[in-house]
Amino acid sequence: MKTRLLLTAVLAAASSALADVHVGVIISSTGAAASLGIPEKNTVAMLPQTIAGQKVIYTILDDASDTTNAVTNARKLIQDSKVDLIIGSSTTPASLAMIDVAAESKTPMIALAASESIIKPVDAKRSWVFKTPQTDAIMAAAIVGHMAQNGIKTVGYVGFNDAYGEGWYNELKKNADAKNIKIVANERYGRSDSSVTGQALKLVAAKPDAILVGASGVPAVLPQKALNDRGYKGKIYQTHGVANADFLRVGGKDVEGAILPVGPLLVADQLPTSNPTRKVGLDYMSLYEGKYGKDSVSGFGGHVWDAGLLIQKAIPQALKKGKPGTPEFRSGLRDALENTRNVIGAHGIFNMSATDHLGLDARSRVMAQVVNGTWKLIK
């Protein structure tokens, strides 16, 4: 009798474990991209612990802003933790490197990085990959549109010497060519570099009307400071990769006046009440600042929040295909994410398809400027 009871208890425990949804999260909470990863990690703690009656377990690993670590972490989560889905990573190079792992294991992945190349084209590998941040393509169009409206005829570029910087340069060129804006300088630097003096001197010498910094997080402060120190008086644009409090805190007066596209979350309280994302953004802002302090919210945490909204919609559909922990459930998650319709997030409204694994449109961006150390909506 005791043996039978023990066996029953073991089987019940196994059945219970099988019912749990396991989500692996890979973020850059240390290293050069920590200003992105920390608010992302903080937001994971705010995601629902139960969805559609199933317990959801989140396992968070730090890739230390290193691409190799991101791939190692992805394999570890899939092989050891048997995750049903991966969220991450924080940077474009790391997210691109993780695509093969997701595809090989047929595990859906929601990236938290910007580059459009993470999800396009939706080929056999990328069919398992989705993302929540606005692409560089969406944001570059907004930047160049603002340049054209303000009479900019020439532009210089300085960006990371990796996939993020290259992607932004390509999008800048495509959009600038369409608006007859000439790129007169193209410079690069490393995420961990401590000086960009040479690059700044070349940019100033080219005398562009405006300069775009194709970088993210705190390292994006460096070029703007160097340009200011050398007397550059033109407009300086940044990407949405700087949309957090650390950029403002570290940059201080050196980033005053920076113009950039941001997700509506960052200026939710300045949006008209008719904007459908305003309420979601304000709700997230209230929850996050209530937990982590006033003015602590960032666009990066919002991308995790939106990933949470997507999986809340996808999990009930996937449960119709199989139990958590099975290939059928993972495939069901993939299919449900691809068929996402009208999910209102903090950064926009998601409508995905077989050819679009982001599903955001122009409603996912607004132009803002750094004014008196805060984000000011450009109307």
Side-chain angles (χ1 to χ4, degrees):
M1 178 63 74
K2 288 183 178 179
T3 301
R4 184 180 298 173
L5 289 173
L6 180 60
L7 180 59
T8 301
V10 169
L11 290 173
S15 175
S16 175
L18 190 64
D20 295 340
V21 178
H22 288 260
V23 177
V25 184
I26 302 171
I27 49 178
S28 306
S29 54
T30 60
S35 63
L36 285 64
I38 291 172
E40 292 169 351
K41 180 179 180 180
N42 289 345
T43 302
V44 175
M46 298 163 51
L47 297 182
Q49 305 297 304
T50 303
I51 299 174
Q54 309 296 310
K55 182 179 179 182
V56 183
I57 298 172
Y58 302 92
T59 302
I60 306 174
L61 297 180
D62 174 24
D63 64 22
S65 306
D66 180 84
T67 299
T68 302
N69 288 344
V71 173
T72 300
N73 286 347
R75 294 195 184 282
K76 181 179 177 64
L77 287 170
I78 290 166
Q79 295 169 4
D80 297 349
S81 300
K82 311 297 183 187
V83 297
D84 297 297
L85 176 140
I86 289 177
I87 297 176
S89 182
S90 307
T91 68
T92 288
S95 295
L96 287 170
M98 290 163 53
I99 290 174
D100 283 344
V101 182
E104 289 168 6
S105 62
K106 296 185 176 180
T107 303
M109 164 181 152
I110 303 177
L112 302 174
S115 177
E116 187 173 62
S117 60
I118 295 168
I119 54 166
K120 287 190 176 180
V122 184
D123 51 21
K125 290 182 179 180
R126 288 174 175 79
S127 67
W128 290 92
V129 182
F130 304 83
K131 68 195 282 313
T132 52
Q134 303 87 340
T135 62
D136 41 16
I138 288 174
M139 295 311 214
I143 288 175
V144 176
H146 185 273
M147 288 179 178
Q149 290 169 9
N150 286 271
I152 302 298
K153 299 298 183 185
T154 58
V155 62
Y157 178 78
V158 54
F160 285 153
N161 58 357
D162 61 21
Y164 186 88
E166 185 65 18
W168 264 98
Y169 176 77
N170 291 337
E171 292 300 331
L172 171 65
K173 187 175 190 315
K174 180 175 69 177
N175 285 276
D177 286 349
K179 296 288 187 180
N180 295 315
I181 297 174
K182 184 179 180 182
I183 300 176
V184 295
N186 177 14
E187 299 294 326
R188 304 299 169 88
Y189 72 107
R191 290 176 183 255
S192 59
D193 286 356
S194 58
S195 172
V196 291
T197 300
Q199 295 93 321
L201 288 171
K202 291 178 183 177
L203 287 163
V204 172
K207 299 180 180 179
D209 297 330
I211 292 172
L212 171 61
V213 179
S216 63
V218 171
V221 172
L222 190 63
Q224 188 160 352
K225 176 176 174 19
L227 289 165
N228 289 337
D229 289 346
R230 278 143 195 85
Y232 180 71
K233 299 302 182 184
K235 295 183 184 297
I236 297 179
Y237 290 82
Q238 294 273 358
T239 75
H240 61 310
V242 305
N244 65 22
D246 280 351
F247 174 78
L248 297 176
R249 176 182 57 79
V250 173
K253 63 180 179 58
D254 290 313
V255 298
E256 274 290 309
I259 302 168
L260 68 156
V262 297
L265 163 65
L266 215 60
V267 289
D269 56 344
Q270 301 174 51
L271 296 174
T273 54
S274 59
N275 190 303
T277 64
R278 186 177 192 272
K279 183 181 185 305
V280 179
L282 288 175
D283 287 347
Y284 169 71
M285 204 179 276
S286 176
L287 288 169
Y288 191 94
E289 292 186 348
K291 189 174 180 68
Y292 299 108
K294 182 174 171 53
D295 297 327
S296 58
V297 75
S298 86
F300 303 106
H303 297 315
V304 173
W305 188 252
D306 285 348
L309 294 174
L310 292 178
I311 65 173
Q312 287 179 66
K313 187 75 175 288
I315 285 175
Q317 298 303 314
L319 287 168
K320 298 175 183 177
K321 302 293 182 65
K323 292 183 178 180
T326 66
E328 292 79 12
F329 181 72
R330 293 193 294 274
S331 179
L333 276 177
R334 194 218 73 85
D335 293 348
L337 288 168
E338 188 173 86
N339 287 288
T340 295
R341 298 290 184 274
N342 296 315
V343 171
I344 301 175
H347 279 287
I349 301 172
F350 293 88
N351 284 288
M352 297 189 186
S353 70
T355 58
D356 184 357
H357 279 194
L358 171 64
L360 293 177
D361 55 26
R363 293 173 294 179
S364 67
R365 70 190 187 201
V366 294
M367 292 300 293
Q369 187 169 24
V370 179
V371 178
N372 296 323
T374 189
W375 313 107
K376 180 72 173 177
L377 177 67
I378 297 175
K379 297 179 180 178

